[in-house]
Amino acid sequence: MKARLQIFVDRYPGTEAFWVDSDQLTWSIGERPVDIPERWTYSDVIAFSTQLGQKNQLTYTALLGGDVRNGFMTFVFHVH
């Protein structure tokens, strides 16, 4: 997972990427941003995405394996 997300972040500078595993633990590419908690639920990421929309950032979230119980990954794009 980390290697695949690293490729994406390298391709799109300024993009943040992280995923939350089935135990609700957060894993990030590089240093975990301060506003990203160590643990959270899928509903937490929806609230997070809503807040980012107000900061000129676009968030894309996908379920791993199509099931929230597997975890999810999130990309944050900074819109200029």
Side-chain angles (χ1 to χ4, degrees):
M1 176 68 78
K2 187 172 184 174
R4 288 184 179 203
L5 292 180
Q6 185 65 57
I7 290 168
F8 186 84
V9 169
D10 290 345
R11 186 173 293 161
Y12 301 99
T15 300
E16 296 175 39
F18 59 92
W19 73 99
V20 176
D21 65 19
S22 59
D23 294 324
Q24 299 178 335
L25 292 173
T26 304
W27 301 89
S28 63
I29 301 302
E31 197 170 317
R32 184 173 50 83
V34 175
D35 57 345
I36 305 296
E38 289 183 41
R39 289 182 166 270
W40 60 358
T41 65
Y42 190 65
S43 59
D44 293 334
V45 81
I46 300 302
F48 173 79
S49 298
T50 302
Q51 292 171 352
L52 285 182
Q54 299 169 3
K55 297 180 183 179
N56 294 326
Q57 297 176 336
L58 176 64
T59 304
Y60 175 78
T61 300
L63 299 176
L64 299 176
D67 188 336
V68 72
R69 293 175 293 186
N70 295 330
F72 55 92
M73 64 180 147
T74 300
F75 298 98
V76 179
F77 300 92
H78 300 277
V79 181
H80 303 284

